[in-house]
Amino acid sequence: MNLPFEPVLFGIKLNMHLILEYLAFFVGFRYYVFLRKKREDTISLNNRLSIIIGAVFGALLLSRLVAFFENPVVAYEQGWFAIFNNKTIMGGLFGGLLGVELAKKIIGEKQSSGDLFTLPIILGIIIGRFGCFLAGIKEFTYGVQTTSFFGMNLGDGVLRHPIALYEIVFLILLFMLINKGQQKPNRFESGTYFKIFMISYFTFRFFIEFLKPNTFLIFNLSSIQYLCLICWLYYVNPIYTFMARKKL
């Protein structure tokens, strides 16, 4: 199979990245609905909908903003349409988190709401990353040139790190770990599994970004890596509490 993979159906070239992106949203949401029916949700339906709306608007805003700073010069040259069209899952996740917290403050919801979203989010990202891989170098999820065993031709004749595949493997393992943990009720306080996902995924992305041909900013870090640092600061108290318990 050659990359980018763009099959033709009835004379129309299919954008597999876009198709799998929409499929990721659909499957992720249906999986969330399935889990909500299967597991007891202590948050009311109206409050849960408000939380989802907050997550959507927060994700839309920050996903575009972070994507712009990945390569601001190129984004500016592409014009406003490209700026609004470009997005990154990292900004979407953190923006969604901030949107959820704002929505919860507005409606007065005190309970943690993240655990029920965790596995659907991971599943959605996995599906979306398959689309990124099939897009080859058309999507900025490819790696730098490499002579290692893992090098692949992603469409430009150069052996590169298949970043999307690395991420898929990591997320599958994380999905299995969290799913196994959630089978044991009351093991952690509510919201812990979402925090585990965010800290784990942002840590993975911080280091994997060094394998991408990024526009590195101050101290040779990319905009994604600075967002990872912000995420760590946001979760510094849970991280400290977890490490303290491990010592006891």
Side-chain angles (χ1 to χ4, degrees), residues 29-97:
F29 180 73
R30 294 310 306 172
Y31 187 38
Y32 157 75
V33 172
F34 168 77
L35 291 179
R36 193 172 192 276
K37 290 180 179 179
K38 184 179 178 182
R39 301 175 185 175
E40 181 181 357
D41 188 5
T42 57
I43 298 177
S44 69
L45 179 59
N46 287 339
N47 280 7
R48 181 65 74 174
L49 289 175
S50 297
I51 289 170
I52 292 175
I53 292 172
V56 169
F57 279 100
L60 284 173
L61 177 62
L62 207 58
S63 65
R64 267 73 181 173
L65 183 62
V66 176
F68 172 81
F69 283 107
E70 275 195 282
N71 199 327
V73 176
V74 173
Y76 180 79
E77 291 175 349
Q78 290 175 340
W80 286 106
F81 178 78
I83 290 174
F84 284 115
N85 188 53
N86 293 336
K87 53 191 177 297
T88 171
I89 185 62
M90 300 295 286
L93 286 173
F94 197 73
L97 172 64

Side-chain angles (χ1 to χ4, degrees), residues 6-195:
E6 299 174 317
V8 177
L9 182 64
F10 302 118
I12 301 174
K13 184 183 291 186
L14 300 180
N15 185 333
M16 294 305 299
H17 178 260
L18 186 61
I19 291 173
L20 287 172
E21 187 174 290
Y22 284 126
L23 182 64
F25 283 113
F26 175 78
V27 173
F29 180 73
R30 294 310 306 172
Y31 187 38
Y32 157 75
V33 172
F34 168 77
L35 291 179
R36 193 172 192 276
K37 290 180 179 179
K38 184 179 178 182
R39 301 175 185 175
E40 181 181 357
D41 188 5
T42 57
I43 298 177
S44 69
L45 179 59
N46 287 339
N47 280 7
R48 181 65 74 174
L49 289 175
S50 297
I51 289 170
I52 292 175
I53 292 172
V56 169
F57 279 100
L60 284 173
L61 177 62
L62 207 58
S63 65
R64 267 73 181 173
L65 183 62
V66 176
F68 172 81
F69 283 107
E70 275 195 282
N71 199 327
V73 176
V74 173
Y76 180 79
E77 291 175 349
Q78 290 175 340
W80 286 106
F81 178 78
I83 290 174
F84 284 115
N85 188 53
N86 293 336
K87 53 191 177 297
T88 171
I89 185 62
M90 300 295 286
L93 286 173
F94 197 73
L97 172 64
L98 298 181
V100 164
E101 294 303 320
L102 178 60
K104 286 168 64 176
K105 285 186 178 297
I106 293 174
I107 63 178
E109 179 61 63
K110 302 297 184 182
Q111 299 182 78
S112 179
S113 59
D115 281 352
L116 198 58
F117 293 119
T118 304
L119 292 181
I121 288 174
I122 297 176
L123 180 59
I125 299 175
I126 291 172
I127 296 173
R129 281 299 181 242
F130 274 110
C132 293
F133 172 71
L134 294 178
I137 59 169
K138 287 189 173 183
E139 285 296 321
F140 192 54
T141 52
Y142 57 88
V144 296
Q145 185 174 354
T146 179
T147 57
S148 73
F149 171 78
F150 297 106
M152 295 184 64
N153 176 9
L154 301 177
D156 60 353
V158 177
L159 294 181
R160 298 180 178 276
H161 284 288
I163 300 295
L165 294 186
Y166 296 165
E167 191 169 328
I168 288 170
V169 172
F170 172 81
L171 288 170
I172 289 175
L173 295 175
L174 186 60
F175 182 98
M176 294 170 61
L177 177 66
I178 292 178
N179 184 52
K180 183 177 180 180
Q182 289 186 339
Q183 304 304 316
K184 303 174 182 179
N186 303 321
R187 183 178 182 183
F188 296 117
E189 64 180 5
S190 179
T192 298
Y193 287 106
F194 183 75
K195 294 172 186 175

